[in-house]
Every structure is written in C-alpha cells, then in structure tokens.
Amino acid sequence: HDGIQRDYILYIPAIYDGNTDVPLVLNFHGFSSNANEQMHYGDFRDIADTEGFLLVHPEGTLLDGEQHWNVGNFTIGSTADDVGFTEALIDELANLYAINLDRVYSVGMSNGGFMSFLLACQLSEKIAAIASVTGSMTPVTYDACNTQHPTPILQIHGTSDSVVPYYGDDTWTLSI
C-alpha cells in the first residue's frame, strides 16, 4: 500500500468453506508490538474456530524503530496511511474470501485500540463495530471524526492504567 510492503497474518478457521459469507475481525497490535505477538496476546483463534469468522492481524509500520498505527498526536511524524491500508486490506480479503461486508469488526490493544477508534471515525462505512482494550481516541481523531452511522463500541480499560490514562491527557489522549 502506498509503495510500502504491508504484511498481515490471516487465520482461517477449519469450518470455513467459502460457500457462506462470514464476518471478518481485524485485530490490531499495540505500539512497539507486532501482528504475531497480538495473535498470541489477544488470541481469538479458538473463538474464530467456534464462531466461524476470519481473523486478520495487520502489521503496523516503523516509527523511530517501533511498530505503530498512525493515529495522530503521539504518533506525530508518521506518514503511514493506516486507514487506507486497512481499507485496501478489507477489499483484498473480500476479493479472495467469502466475507460478509456488513460484519467487519475492529479490535485492538492500546495503540491498536486507538486505531479501532480511528477506523470507526474515518472508515465507518466498512466497520460495523469496534472494541478497544486500553486504547482511547486522540484529540486529532476526535476532531476529525466523521462517522456514517452509529457505531457500537466495547471499551475495556481501568483507572490504574499507567500507560494510557483512563482520565486522559489533553496533549494526546481523551478521557474514557
């Protein structure tokens, strides 16, 4: 995408037969993590096996030597078009597999949760719902949010989080 090789790990449950459109779940890693770590850390493979959805773990790009998702504010300096990459990824997977495009979901850990919020704002025509674990919205995401429909959100967070403050920080993250 955009002249950059972008990678992902796709998990296809054994019950997938290609004859019926199935949901797609995007599972985004946190800052300094990667797709493989997220596949094991936020492991939905058993659930995908039971529920029959395709599961994809996209890989972020490097920013100052760290894998990340470009969500503004704390990723300042990044030029990665992660929304465009995600849209292209959804389209490509829909060309290759039987995917119910009304049931595309985004989940993420920390920076991946911020990415899920960004997708709900900027790619809502393709995202049915999101879940964020320890992520929030940057002020940049909030200020530019332009959803096309109400988007269900599951937020998992705690007041003791020392990395992404629950009550926010005006310079880079909003309060939960």
Side-chain angles (χ1 to χ4, degrees):
H1 180 74
D2 275 353
I4 301 170
Q5 179 176 322
R6 301 296 302 259
D7 297 316
Y8 60 89
I9 300 169
L10 178 64
Y11 182 78
I12 303 170
I15 61 173
Y16 174 79
D17 63 11
N19 295 320
T20 304
D21 288 352
V22 299
L24 173 66
V25 174
L26 304 152
N27 191 345
F28 290 92
H29 63 77
F31 190 85
S32 80
S33 187
N34 60 55
N36 187 56
E37 288 177 0
Q38 183 64 17
M39 182 174 64
H40 292 91
Y41 182 74
D43 194 350
F44 291 172
R45 291 174 293 179
D46 286 345
I47 301 168
D49 288 337
T50 303
E51 300 301 321
F53 58 84
L54 299 186
L55 177 61
V56 64
H57 301 87
E59 184 90 313
T61 57
L62 292 177
L63 174 66
D64 298 327
E66 302 287 353
Q67 297 277 36
H68 80 291
W69 301 106
N70 183 6
V71 296
N73 289 89
F74 68 91
T75 58
I76 193 97
S78 176
T79 59
D81 177 10
D82 289 324
V83 173
F85 164 62
T86 302
E87 182 173 29
L89 178 59
I90 292 167
D91 292 345
E92 179 66 15
L93 291 174
N95 285 331
L96 298 171
Y97 301 95
I99 293 175
N100 180 343
L101 291 174
D102 292 327
R103 297 187 66 201
V104 176
Y105 306 99
S106 180
V107 301
M109 170 64 186
S110 193
N111 182 214
F114 281 87
M115 183 63 187
S116 293
F117 275 108
L118 182 64
L119 294 174
C121 286
Q122 294 188 9
L123 198 62
S124 66
E125 69 277 7
K126 293 190 182 236
I127 302 296
I130 69 163
S132 172
V133 179
T134 76
S136 180
M137 285 181 127
T138 65
V140 169
T141 297
Y142 181 81
D143 290 343
C145 196
N146 185 27
T147 61
Q148 303 302 305
H149 61 86
T151 305
I153 296 170
L154 171 64
Q155 178 67 50
I156 301 170
H157 209 116
T159 56
S160 296
D161 188 327
S162 62
V163 177
V164 179
Y166 185 88
Y167 295 106
D169 176 324
D170 292 339
T171 62
W172 68 278
T173 182
L174 298 179
S175 172
I176 298 304

